[in-house]
Amino acid sequence: MAEQDASHGGSVRLEDVAVRFRTRKKDVTALRDVSLDVAEGEFVAIVGPSGCGKSTLLKLVAGLLKPSSGTVRLRGEPVTGPRHDIGYVFQRAALLEWRSARRNILLQAEMRRMPADRARERTAELIAMTGLTGFEDAYPHELSGGMQQRVALCRALLHEPPVLLMDEPFGALDALTREQLNVELNRIWRETRTTVLLVTHSIAEAAYLANRIIVMTDRPGTIAEVIDVGLPDERDYATTMARPEFADATGRIRDLLGAASAAD
Amino acid sequence: MVSQSTTPSVPVAGVAERDRPGAGERVREAVVRSWRPVALLVACLLAWWAITAAKLIKAYLVPSPAKTLQVMGDKTGYLWHHTWVTTYETLLGFVIATVVGVLAAVVMVYSSAVERTLYPVLLFAQVIPKVAIAPLLVVWLGFGLAPKVVVAVLIAFFPVVISMVTGLKAVDPEMIQLSATMGAGPLQTFAKIRFPASLPHLFSGLKVAVTLAVTGAVVGEFVGANEGLGYVIQQANGNLDTPMLFAGLLVMSLIGVVLFVLVEFAEKLLLPWHASRRGTAVTTTY
């Protein structure tokens, strides 16, 4: 199912995109010559050294940022402003402290004015799917980092977005929690068949989760290479790690990033 | 959507159990927490009593605690009336300062043009000593309620605006971006994210403002009034009636303390989620 033809019916398409920021002292080119095509239902991971414009790329897709040149399309339409047909997950969970886990998830429904009973039903589904059962009424400060991030994920998935954008969602978690959440994200992706763009610093995470991995160069960020992982969608964590496809993908990324930035 | 996975696939760490102490425990906690300030207060009263009892200072300069209490008992009706007048002026000033201050802060945060225009004016208004403009206000507004309330508003307004602006600006920018992807309009974002997030800041400003409002009302009364604790103190001063002067001072401080505690109580009620209100102390210092 992952082997769709990426050349047409693209879910996300960037053509010759560049982003330049003007700061007081100098102009900074964050992204240059970025062209990218993501098929519907595809899981694409983006890796690269710090500050190479990975987050900028997600913000472009979400319409939170305007490209200096080039075009960004989401599900066929050009992106001209903040898009509502996406789910967004940040590195920090960005939960509202005064709302319980359930009501944090329901924020999405309130803002979109979704019918209340449908929102409740969907919240219950997601809470079960992400293993938050029993924590619905806990406040963010009572939850561990991993649980907070699960809440943020539920909030991003509530409206069944066709595209999910994740900006280093597990970057602040400990290694064990991170593995657990990787396994869960793989399962959630298979169940929802949503298109996922995941920015990550973890080479293993990228190779375990993605169909394709986009490796970016240091600033100005360009695409160094696109790697087809070639693993089946359903992936057991331990056995996947031992597979030659996994070793090939991670080895190649390390080569590329080592060349791009030895310090990172 | 929920297929094989209605149960969590991995065990998860438990939510920290919140302690629910019993009544006895709570009393003990309250004692542990408050014995120091109470002891200090008692020590001050004792010192006051000792100084007057030993006649270190002449009685017409510093009356004894007993004498002061006696005046408060004898003139309860008189004091009560003037206390109510001052409290009323203070509360009116505080409420107006809060409403206007919050509105001004919201406008300033949403329009940088307004902020740039208003900020210097605000700062200028703040640095003018309120005691100095109080006489002018009496000339303009007469001897009634108005000048006292205006002074209270002027003096309480600044901390409200500053704290609310800080609060509204301290909102996580990612939260605002998230709100945009949810299709929320500016009103929704304000009502559900910005405003509630700014409340902890606002309340710290309100606590300062409410104590300042008492000062404002009394300053207004000093300049020209025939009612209120400021008037009581001026009268007592003119008659060299120090016991009454002390009684007025005590009641005035009491108004400030009570109003402060009320604002703090409202904060506790409205923001049980805020970090500063979470349970008992987590840290131990030696």
Side-chain angles (χ1 to χ4, degrees), chain A residues 133-146:
Chain A
T133 311
F135 300 88
E136 299 93 330
D137 298 317
Y139 284 84
H141 67 90
E142 298 169 313
L143 295 170
S144 64

Side-chain angles (χ1 to χ4, degrees), chain A residues 57-259:
Chain A
L57 207 145
L58 286 196
K59 289 198 170 142
L60 286 173
V61 176
L64 295 170
L65 209 70
K66 237 181 89 175
S68 309
S69 63
T71 54
V72 181
R73 284 169 180 276
L74 181 60
R75 301 169 70 223
E77 297 162 51
V79 175
T80 50
R83 290 291 290 253
H84 311 154
D85 47 354
I86 52 149
Y88 213 116
V89 183
F90 292 100
Q91 178 172 3
R92 291 180 306 114
L95 302 177
L96 300 176
E97 286 178 85
W98 55 91
R99 284 176 172 239
S100 64
R102 180 190 280 114
R103 294 200 56 237
N104 259 296
I105 299 168
L106 282 169
L107 181 74
Q108 182 80 261
E110 289 170 29
M111 293 301 204
R112 290 171 185 276
R113 303 184 201 285
M114 271 166 74
D117 44 342
R118 217 190 104 40
R120 260 199 305 276
E121 216 174 280
R122 176 86 183 128
T123 305
E125 273 177 28
L126 286 167
I127 284 173
M129 192 201 273
T130 52
L132 276 169
T133 311
F135 300 88
E136 299 93 330
D137 298 317
Y139 284 84
H141 67 90
E142 298 169 313
L143 295 170
S144 64
M147 296 306 265
Q148 289 186 13
Q149 210 49 269
R150 284 182 172 94
V151 176
L153 185 60
C154 287
R155 182 180 58 192
L157 290 170
L158 186 80
H159 53 299
E160 296 177 74
V163 176
L164 180 63
L165 305 173
M166 307 181 87
D167 190 354
E168 293 183 46
F170 311 132
L173 305 178
D174 64 89
L176 277 176
T177 311
R178 189 170 192 153
E179 278 186 19
Q180 286 176 356
L181 282 170
N182 282 347
V183 173
E184 285 178 41
L185 181 59
N186 175 260
R187 178 172 50 76
I188 290 164
W189 169 63
R190 282 185 283 111
E191 283 173 20
T192 58
R193 300 284 12 157
T194 178
T195 310
V196 182
L197 257 74
L198 170 84
V199 164
T200 177
H201 266 127
S202 161
I203 293 170
E205 183 171 282
Y208 169 69
L209 285 167
N211 299 128
R212 282 193 299 157
I213 301 167
I214 294 173
V215 184
M216 296 187 62
T217 63
D218 208 349
R219 187 178 291 169
T222 52
I223 294 175
E225 195 169 306
V226 179
I227 298 168
D228 275 301
V229 179
L231 286 164
D233 283 357
E234 189 163 354
R235 300 172 188 186
D236 176 76
Y237 202 81
T239 51
T240 301
M241 296 283 159
R243 286 178 69 134
E245 295 94 326
F246 183 86
D248 289 347
T250 52
R252 183 72 194 129
I253 299 169
R254 288 205 172 90
D255 283 347
L256 287 164
L257 291 184

Side-chain angles (χ1 to χ4, degrees), chain B:
Chain B
M1 197 65 61
V2 191
S3 48
Q4 72 274 49
S5 54
T6 40
T7 48
S9 54
V10 283
V12 285
V15 174
E17 283 288 321
R18 271 177 293 184
D19 288 336
R20 304 224 181 279
E25 185 118 342
R26 248 179 293 163
V27 169
R28 191 150 15 105
E29 250 172 45
V31 169
V32 167
R33 216 164 344 122
S34 53
W35 75 267
R36 279 166 220 270
V38 168
L40 183 64
L41 208 65
V42 170
C44 287
L45 279 172
L46 274 176
W48 179 14
W49 173 81
I51 287 167
T52 51
K55 299 203 192 308
L56 290 173
I57 301 174
K58 294 199 169 61
Y60 71 88
L61 292 179
V62 177
S64 70
K67 184 89 180 115
T68 307
L69 273 176
Q70 192 197 330
V71 167
M72 288 169 91
D74 290 348
K75 298 271 182 81
T76 308
Y78 172 80
L79 275 171
W80 187 249
H81 168 74
H82 293 290
T83 303
W84 171 241
V85 170
T86 302
T87 309
Y88 182 69
E89 294 161 356
T90 303
L91 278 179
L92 205 58
F94 173 65
V95 169
I96 294 173
T98 304
V99 172
V100 179
V102 167
L103 287 177
V106 170
V107 175
M108 279 164 70
V109 166
Y110 277 89
S111 159
S112 60
V114 172
E115 184 180 8
R116 278 196 301 271
T117 317
L118 227 53
Y119 227 94
V121 180
L122 268 180
L123 190 65
F124 187 67
Q126 170 63 11
V127 295
I128 297 175
K130 303 302 169 295
V131 193
I133 49 167
L136 192 61
L137 288 170
V138 173
V139 173
W140 288 347
L141 302 168
F143 285 83
L145 179 68
K148 289 89 181 172
V149 175
V150 171
V151 179
V153 170
L154 284 177
I155 211 166
F157 179 72
F158 198 68
V160 176
V161 180
I162 296 295
S163 60
M164 191 64 184
V165 167
T166 311
L168 288 170
K169 283 188 175 173
V171 179
D172 186 351
E174 288 186 342
M175 209 53 235
I176 302 293
Q177 292 184 329
L178 202 61
S179 185
T181 71
M182 292 176 176
L187 263 178
Q188 272 181 306
T189 306
F190 179 77
K192 288 189 193 290
I193 298 171
R194 268 212 137 117
F195 185 72
S198 68
L199 285 179
H201 284 93
L202 175 64
F203 265 99
S204 56
L206 289 183
K207 283 189 265 186
V208 177
V210 81
T211 54
L212 287 177
V214 184
T215 311
V218 173
V219 164
E221 287 165 357
F222 273 172
V223 180
N226 42 29
E227 283 184 302
L229 290 172
Y231 165 79
V232 168
I233 285 175
Q234 287 235 304
Q235 287 293 304
N237 200 27
N239 301 334
L240 274 180
D241 183 1
T242 43
M244 182 51 93
L245 216 156
F246 268 65
L249 270 175
L250 274 180
V251 176
M252 204 183 283
S253 327
L254 218 61
I255 296 177
V257 171
V258 168
L259 291 180
F260 182 87
V261 169
L262 283 178
V263 173
E264 211 170 42
F265 182 69
E267 182 186 25
K268 216 173 237 175
L269 224 58
L270 284 169
L271 314 175
W273 50 269
H274 193 242
S276 65
R277 298 262 157 257
R278 270 171 221 157
T280 44
V282 190
T283 50
T284 318
T285 46
Y286 295 95

